[in-house]
Amino acid sequence: MIKVASYNMRKSIGTDRRRSPERTLQVLCEIDADVIALQEADRRFGTREAVLTTHLLAEHGDWKAIPLGVRARSMGWHGNALLVRRDAQILDSEAIHLPSLEPRGAVMADVRIRGQILRIVGMHLDLSGLWRRRQAHAIVAHLQASTHQYPTVLMGDLNEWSANSGCLHDFAQHFDFAQTGKSFHARRPMARLDRIMISRDLRIDDAGVHASLQSRNASDHLPVWATVRPA
């Protein structure tokens, strides 16, 4: 069984408007997942520097960032980043370019955790429903065109307010959704903007939203999580 999680960390700016990477890491330690997809993990301007530095990760957690080689000081691609346990083996990784009007992207990695190979995709989709659907189609097409096929987990902030239409309908043609719950706004959750999806050669044992005192203050999104295993 492998625990996965997704978290829009909002550049570590909390609902109290304070930036605190240490608080973000405390939330990640509370979740204690094997794989974590982060959104808004880099600063927005300039060199797009990572908010969670290598030093902070080493000091506060048991994870390493999956390298993408896109920007020297960034953790990810357009704010999307992936963390895995330090003993996980990274087999491959890449940034996925998405059609968009504003800077958007996704990241993908193949990792071996406790003998199980998983393909992980992290994403942060557009505010526009039309562009979200185009991005969903681009991600699915990218996965289908891959030479090697592995059990796959897709996670991220889909920005989709509907219950089962739009990009949710598009992803549901190929993947099953974890019943995680409402994750936005952190202080009073009203919407399931953050989602976890799995390919049909996996199954979900459990899933939920991580709501703690720290997570309600650390970002405007709550983290979502799921435990998965081979079907």
Side-chain angles (χ1 to χ4, degrees):
M1 185 173 65
I2 296 172
K3 188 173 185 179
V4 300
S6 180
Y7 190 24
N8 184 332
M9 54 180 276
R10 199 192 183 195
K11 306 174 189 66
S12 288
I13 299 173
T15 52
D16 55 5
R17 300 184 181 180
R18 291 193 304 110
R19 187 191 301 276
S20 174
E22 291 82 4
R23 183 167 56 183
T24 300
L25 281 163
Q26 288 173 7
V27 174
L28 298 183
C29 288
E30 289 176 358
I31 302 166
D32 197 30
D34 300 298
V35 181
I36 304 169
L38 297 174
Q39 301 87 50
E40 299 192 27
D42 297 328
R43 293 177 184 265
R44 186 174 182 180
F45 301 109
T47 59
R48 307 285 178 88
E49 184 178 358
V51 176
L52 303 179
T53 65
T54 302
H55 173 74
L56 279 173
L57 281 175
E59 190 175 67
H60 291 271
D62 186 35
W63 302 282
K64 58 186 177 183
I66 292 181
L68 296 166
V70 180
R71 293 189 179 96
R73 301 183 69 179
S74 297
M75 180 184 286
W77 169 241
H78 289 310
N80 293 285
L82 297 172
L83 303 180
V84 292
R85 296 283 190 196
R86 292 193 179 279
D87 59 357
Q89 181 184 3
I90 302 167
L91 305 177
D92 197 9
S93 63
E94 62 177 305
I96 303 174
H97 296 259
L98 297 181
S100 62
L101 288 176
E102 55 185 5
R104 296 287 176 178
V107 292
M108 185 173 86
D110 299 333
V111 297
R112 180 181 282 112
I113 301 173
R114 294 192 291 277
Q116 171 74 38
I117 297 179
L118 281 183
R119 174 162 289 162
I120 307 295
V121 179
M123 67 189 80
H124 190 182
L125 301 190
D126 208 281
L127 295 173
S128 160
L130 174 63
W131 285 100
R132 282 197 299 273
R133 298 198 71 175
R134 291 174 177 173
Q135 290 161 2
H137 283 287
I139 291 168
V140 171
H142 189 88
L143 290 170
Q144 290 177 336
S146 180
T147 302
H148 301 288
Q149 297 293 319
Y150 297 114
T152 301
V153 178
L154 299 88
M155 301 185 281
D157 178 358
L158 304 193
N159 267 319
E160 181 61 70
W161 288 76
S162 68
N164 51 27
S165 59
C167 71
L168 301 183
H169 173 78
D170 302 323
F171 280 122
Q173 306 305 305
H174 309 277
F175 303 97
D176 293 329
F177 284 78
Q179 298 304 309
T180 50
K182 297 175 180 178
S183 58
F184 182 85
H185 185 277
R187 289 286 180 89
R188 184 176 293 181
M190 300 175 62
R192 299 186 180 197
L193 300 188
D194 305 278
R195 298 279 186 159
I196 296 176
M197 302 167 277
I198 60 167
S199 56
R200 287 166 183 152
D201 46 5
L202 293 171
R203 75 177 190 190
I204 297 165
D205 283 348
D206 198 6
V209 175
H210 180 76
S212 67
L213 178 62
Q214 288 284 13
S215 65
R216 288 189 180 94
N217 292 319
S219 171
D220 57 349
H221 288 248
L222 294 172
V224 296
W225 61 271
T227 52
V228 303
R229 68 172 71 230

